[in-house]
Amino acid sequence: MAVRVVITGLGIVSPIGIGVSAFWKAALAGQSGISAITSFDPFPMEGYRSKVAGQIRDFSPALHIGSQHGDRVDRYAQFALAASREAIADSSLRIDKEPPHRVGVIVGAGMGGMVMGEREITQLYENHKPHRVHPNFIPTITLNSASGIVAMASGAKGPNLTISTACSSSAHALGQALQCIRTGQADVVIVVGADASITPLVFAGFCSMRALSSKFNDQPERASRPFDRARDGFVMGEGAGALIVESLAHAKKRKAKIYAELSGYAATSEAYHMVIPREDGEEVATTMKLALNAADVSPSEVDYINAHATSTTIGDAVEAKAIRNLFKSRADKLAVSATKSLVGHTLGAAGAIGAIATTLAIQSGHIHPTANYDDPDPDCQLSGISRSPQERTIRAALLNAFGFGSNNAAVVLKRFTA
Amino acid sequence: MADQTIVDKITQALADYLKRDAATIKPAHHLRDDLGLDSMAVIELLYKIEEAFDLQIPDQDLSAMTTVGSVAAYVEQRLAPAKSTPAAKPKTSPAKRAPAAQAPPSKSKSAPSAKSKKAPAKPTSKRKA
């Protein structure tokens, strides 16, 4: 039998709250974290088709990181530090008391250090002064800057990896942490998903792809509306989520509190298109099925799906179709919710933030609402989507995450029973 | 009927993109069904057209652009105020003239003359993201 793996700590930096308790309170209330982008100084907002995002406004590196490590890393890595710090404290993990090489860090990040990246590139092209490129530019934009700094701040000397598969990055980070523990490489893995790239260039790029919502610029809190008929694209978000994942044996030995069991994972490629999913949903259904097989969980045991559901026209419909194809008559008996309706699409952080919402739902029996689900779209109709909170005992749950590059991930989490 | 130079420019952009002879591309061709453009390819085409005609096309206007002819009609409508040929103007009031490349998003459904009976290519928000 495969080694059992459990989740013992959580940490989050999100547009609806910094810290797990603030996040969860706001999530259960269906609070939107989407607000107007006031400026991409010095660029006028008129040039941007979308003008809303899930922005974090009250983050203070000094307050939330409180160490020297935060000063020299980009915003996304600061979020990663803050989230991982909270998760480690929440799990009561004393890394200084652990064999340090048995504690790993796996980070999922889609874009990385774009704040400094854009600034330095712009300055070089404007000033033509290569000698003025900041000495810290390369270590900042290198995509593993967050996994590096989290290790330095925590003392974790085990496997230190970064997974970048766009919007599914941190779902894979969680899945790879499971594999890492099962194959005996580590006892504990600090899993983080982080991105902070609501920056002039990246935001413009998503606008140019026509991927973002532009119909609700005057009503930002209504813009992210997964599964709703009026949805017109995703809303970019920023943030980080962190989960402490460890073998059950290790958790028991140190008498850790256990939120939920991490029991299976599947990684697939649709091998189809860089940004468009296969419309029949078969690849998504297969990914969920493979994850359930890996977890030895039958579809009849699944009570909740934390959907990828970004609020794009096709993406949500494909996912709903896949859920229906896989679960058949049970599809309408499942609770389904879209965390992105609250925080927007946090790209590389989305899987981790969704996993935190799933873990808390399993532990508390409360499922957060899907905000703005006002007019159910018949193309993605599932009875278990609700704009109200739902109360339910969850035996097993699926977390879905799909990324550009034809990339899919699904993770199975279970209620922990000794 | 859209202005021939506009049609030609759009046809050429498509021909370049599809690497085929411009003469084989007709105004009645549906971007998706006849020319095989997926939603991302339609967006790339419109990106080129925005540059060629110095336009900014709001997301809300994309659903009307399903055929080569409807794209041309849309572009013509957007450019219409710059010209002094009332006959070429579409029936509905065209988008207000704005400084180049900073045209405000049009609230109009736009390009009514170009409606195709075929299903729209649905170019917006098809991402999986």
Side-chain angles (χ1 to χ4, degrees), chain B residues 79-127:
Chain B
L79 298 177
K83 296 185 177 184
S84 54
T85 50
K89 282 188 180 175
K91 284 173 196 164
T92 53
S93 64
K96 280 180 192 161
R97 175 119 172 95
Q102 285 195 17
S106 162
K107 296 287 180 196
S108 77
K109 299 282 181 203
S110 91
S113 60
K115 275 201 174 147
S116 164
K117 283 184 180 166
K118 290 186 182 182
K122 278 196 198 166
T124 51
S125 80
K126 269 197 161 185
R127 314 288 84 69

Side-chain angles (χ1 to χ4, degrees), chain A residues 383-402:
Chain A
S383 303
I385 308 168
S386 173
R387 61 179 177 180
S388 304
Q390 303 181 60
E391 215 173 319
R392 181 147 186 176
T393 301
I394 300 167
R395 292 165 297 166
L398 267 165
L399 165 75
N400 286 342
F402 318 128

Side-chain angles (χ1 to χ4, degrees), chain A residues 4-77:
Chain A
R4 292 179 72 187
V5 175
V6 292
I7 295 167
T8 57
L10 305 174
I12 194 166
V13 176
S14 88
I16 57 169
I18 296 171
V20 170
S21 63
F23 164 79
W24 193 235
K25 192 176 165 209
L28 289 177
Q31 190 184 314
S32 169
I34 312 303
S35 58
I37 300 173
T38 47
S39 160
F40 276 125
D41 189 47
F43 307 101
M45 284 310 292
E46 295 87 78
Y48 290 90
R49 294 188 185 92
S50 177
K51 304 180 202 306
V52 297
Q55 302 161 92
I56 294 166
R57 297 189 182 281
D58 44 1
F59 181 79
S60 153
L63 180 67
H64 295 106
I65 306 170
S67 75
Q68 78 278 22
H69 298 289
D71 297 344
R72 299 177 62 197
V73 295
D74 218 59
R75 185 169 168 87
Y76 93 106

Side-chain angles (χ1 to χ4, degrees), chain A residues 46 49 167 208-211 214-215 233-234 273 275-277 279 308 310 312-314 345 402-404 406 408, chain B residues 38-41 43 46-47 50 56-60 62 101-103 105 107 122-129:
Chain A
E46 295 87 78
R49 294 188 185 92
C167 310
S208 285
M209 288 185 75
R210 314 266 181 179
S214 59
K215 266 199 321 205
F234 79 84
H273 190 285
V275 299
I276 302 172
E279 293 199 23
H308 182 61
T310 62
T312 63
T313 315
I314 292 297
H345 191 351
F402 318 128
F404 284 172
S406 230
N408 292 337
Chain B
D38 63 36
S39 60
M40 192 63 200
I43 287 162
L46 294 177
Y47 173 76
E50 284 184 321
Q56 189 176 320
I57 302 172
D59 292 344
Q60 284 71 24
L62 262 60
Q102 285 195 17
K107 296 287 180 196
K122 278 196 198 166
T124 51
S125 80
K126 269 197 161 185
R127 314 288 84 69
K128 65 194 288 174

Side-chain angles (χ1 to χ4, degrees), chain A residues 50-380:
Chain A
S50 177
K51 304 180 202 306
V52 297
Q55 302 161 92
I56 294 166
R57 297 189 182 281
D58 44 1
F59 181 79
S60 153
L63 180 67
H64 295 106
I65 306 170
S67 75
Q68 78 278 22
H69 298 289
D71 297 344
R72 299 177 62 197
V73 295
D74 218 59
R75 185 169 168 87
Y76 93 106
Q78 292 180 342
F79 290 168
L81 275 172
S84 60
R85 191 167 94 137
E86 182 188 11
I88 292 166
D90 180 45
S91 75
S92 304
L93 181 69
R94 289 284 307 271
I95 297 175
D96 57 342
K97 299 267 196 303
E98 299 283 332
H101 294 91
R102 301 293 301 165
V103 182
V105 177
I106 304 183
V107 174
M111 303 301 301
M114 291 305 292
V115 176
M116 185 186 209
E118 287 189 17
R119 190 182 67 222
E120 291 298 312
I121 290 165
T122 306
Q123 282 178 3
L124 175 66
Y125 279 75
E126 276 179 357
N127 304 341
H128 302 170
K129 288 180 181 168
H131 62 284
R132 292 305 304 157
V133 172
H134 199 283
N136 210 24
F137 171 67
I138 296 297
T140 300
I141 62 151
T142 306
L143 213 50
N144 69 339
S145 58
S147 58
I149 203 76
V150 168
M152 286 167 228
S154 65
K157 293 183 174 176
N160 192 282
L161 302 170
T162 298
I163 294 177
S164 188
T165 56
C167 310
S168 56
S169 299
S170 54
H172 284 301
L174 194 56
Q176 291 300 329
L178 173 67
Q179 315 283 39
C180 185
I181 293 166
R182 284 192 172 160
T183 57
Q185 266 191 309
D187 299 320
V188 185
V189 177
I190 303 164
V191 176
V192 185
D195 254 322
S197 54
I198 306 172
T199 50
L201 179 64
V202 175
F203 197 79
F206 280 116
C207 281
S208 285
M209 288 185 75
R210 314 266 181 179
L212 302 181
S213 168
S214 59
K215 266 199 321 205
F216 297 91
N217 287 336
D218 298 334
Q219 298 166 290
E221 68 288 348
R222 296 188 63 209
S224 188
R225 41 195 320 113
F227 303 120
D228 184 85
R229 205 191 294 251
R231 71 191 183 282
D232 73 320
F234 79 84
V235 173
M236 227 174 126
E238 61 177 351
L243 301 96
I244 305 302
V245 172
E246 60 190 295
S247 70
L248 175 60
H250 189 269
K252 276 185 168 166
K253 198 169 119 194
R254 66 181 194 89
K255 299 185 174 61
K257 75 166 177 290
I258 294 170
Y259 281 100
E261 183 162 356
L262 177 61
S263 56
Y265 156 64
T268 68
S269 169
E270 300 201 353
Y272 179 64
H273 190 285
M274 282 306 286
V275 299
I276 302 172
R278 269 189 56 152
E279 293 199 23
D280 62 10
E282 280 306 312
E283 293 297 335
V284 170
T286 299
T287 309
M288 289 190 283
K289 178 70 186 150
L290 289 171
L292 291 173
N293 290 350
D296 198 21
V297 165
S298 84
S300 65
E301 295 171 83
V302 176
D303 294 305
Y304 170 55
I305 298 178
N306 187 285
H308 182 61
T310 62
S311 188
T312 63
T313 315
I314 292 297
D316 294 4
V318 166
E319 188 172 12
K321 190 184 284 183
I323 290 169
R324 196 163 288 288
N325 288 351
L326 177 61
F327 289 92
K328 307 278 186 311
S329 62
R330 191 170 167 72
D332 286 312
K333 296 183 178 123
L334 302 163
V336 177
S337 74
T339 306
K340 293 176 187 74
S341 69
L342 311 171
V343 298
H345 191 351
T346 55
L347 310 182
I353 290 177
I356 289 169
T358 308
T359 301
L360 292 169
I362 290 171
Q363 189 222 22
S364 70
H366 294 278
I367 294 163
H368 73 70
T370 295
N372 297 311
Y373 187 61
D374 301 332
D375 182 9
D377 182 351
D379 282 349
C380 25

